[in-house]
Amino acid sequence: QVQLVESGGGLVQPGGSLRLSCAASGIILTINRMGWYRQAPGRERELVATITSGGSINYADSVKGRFTISRDNAKNTVYLQMNSLKPEDTAVYYCNLYYNYAQTYWGQGTQVTVSS
């Protein structure tokens, strides 16, 4: 019953910016944590950033200082502002939802390509 609607991916030049959005809907009592993960071809999925309902934030070292995660709990939405993008940021970005204290759900993924 849960749905995650992701948007904001696309093609951008190195040094450019993109903003990803993920809106959750469905039978959700409490959103405990939302975040973003990414996976490049032939590589394992890795954490990018997470934010809890209490405001605790965790970033991968590779994106610190460049990416910013934020949320709007009233809209059940999480955002990822990506600045100073690098070619190595190219990947499929997946929204992740941890909710009702014990359940998790993944979005379908959105492609981010950083290239000249």
Side-chain angles (χ1 to χ4, degrees):
Q1 306 304 319
V2 173
Q3 297 183 60
L4 295 177
V5 179
E6 300 166 305
S7 63
L11 174 65
V12 65
Q13 295 184 351
S17 299
L18 287 173
R19 192 186 198 197
L20 305 183
S21 299
C22 176
S25 63
I27 305 175
I28 302 171
L29 178 63
T30 302
I31 294 179
N32 304 118
R33 186 189 71 202
M34 297 186 75
W36 294 93
Y37 295 71
R38 67 187 182 187
Q39 186 170 22
R43 300 174 63 182
E44 296 182 352
R45 187 173 299 185
E46 64 177 352
L47 180 146
V48 177
T50 60
I51 184 168
T52 70
S53 60
S56 180
I57 295 173
N58 185 37
Y59 292 107
D61 288 342
S62 60
V63 307
K64 287 181 179 178
R66 299 188 298 120
F67 291 10
T68 302
I69 190 169
S70 61
R71 72 188 192 282
D72 185 336
N73 288 345
K75 298 180 179 179
N76 291 340
T77 300
V78 65
Y79 307 94
L80 185 68
Q81 178 67 47
M82 304 184 294
N83 299 326
S84 302
L85 283 162
K86 305 174 181 179
E88 51 263 44
D89 294 318
T90 296
V92 177
Y93 284 68
Y94 296 91
C95 180
N96 175 257
L97 170 70
Y98 181 69
Y99 65 105
N100 294 353
Y101 304 100
Q103 301 184 79
T104 189
Y105 196 83
W106 292 91
Q108 81 286 348
T110 184
Q111 178 70 47
V112 172
T113 302
V114 185
S115 176
S116 299

